[in-house]
Amino acid sequence: MAVRAVRGAVQLERDEAGHMDEQVGALLTAIMDRNSLSADDLISIWFTATPDLHSDFPAAAARKLGIVDVPLICAQELDIRGAMPRVVRVLAHIESDKPRTGINHVYLGTAAALRKDIAQ
């Protein structure tokens, strides 16, 4: 089984913990569903959030989904002038038999504009 990486992102409408949980949860669920993954396939997940998000840790949403024994880490995204605000990005390392070209990266809603080349 190979180690693969799955990317994803979602833009939040507002900086509220409940909204972050909902949106990050939807992103993780979509990543899992579109790649036919279970929690056992996850190796680790990196989350980044833009500097304007302060309400909660994006990783908290993963724990609420039951992803409890997978290493998670959060970091702050670079503060680049003109960048899309209120964005949570995900980089999940997984075990998969799929080739790299078979991995479905997930950019929900307006975040699809971040990576038009790979957004599903």
Side-chain angles (χ1 to χ4, degrees), residues 42-64:
L42 298 171
I43 297 169
S44 64
I45 305 175
W46 280 82
F47 296 89
T48 64
T50 51
D52 52 1
L53 293 174
H54 308 278
S55 63
D56 203 358
F57 294 99
R63 299 292 185 221
K64 290 176 183 170

Side-chain angles (χ1 to χ4, degrees), residues 98-118:
K98 292 181 181 181
R100 284 189 185 123
T101 56
I103 300 298
N104 294 302
H105 305 283
V106 180
Y107 289 77
L108 297 180
T110 54
L114 295 170
R115 289 299 305 266
K116 293 178 184 176
D117 57 326
I118 63 172

Side-chain angles (χ1 to χ4, degrees), residues 49-96:
T50 51
D52 52 1
L53 293 174
H54 308 278
S55 63
D56 203 358
F57 294 99
R63 299 292 185 221
K64 290 176 183 170
L65 286 178
I67 301 172
V68 296
D69 62 348
V70 175
L72 308 175
I73 193 164
C74 298
Q76 188 176 76
E77 192 70 36
L78 294 173
D79 191 9
I80 303 298
R81 189 175 320 126
M84 186 180 286
R86 300 176 317 281
V87 174
V88 174
R89 291 172 173 86
V90 171
L91 173 63
H93 298 97
I94 64 168
E95 291 182 322
S96 177

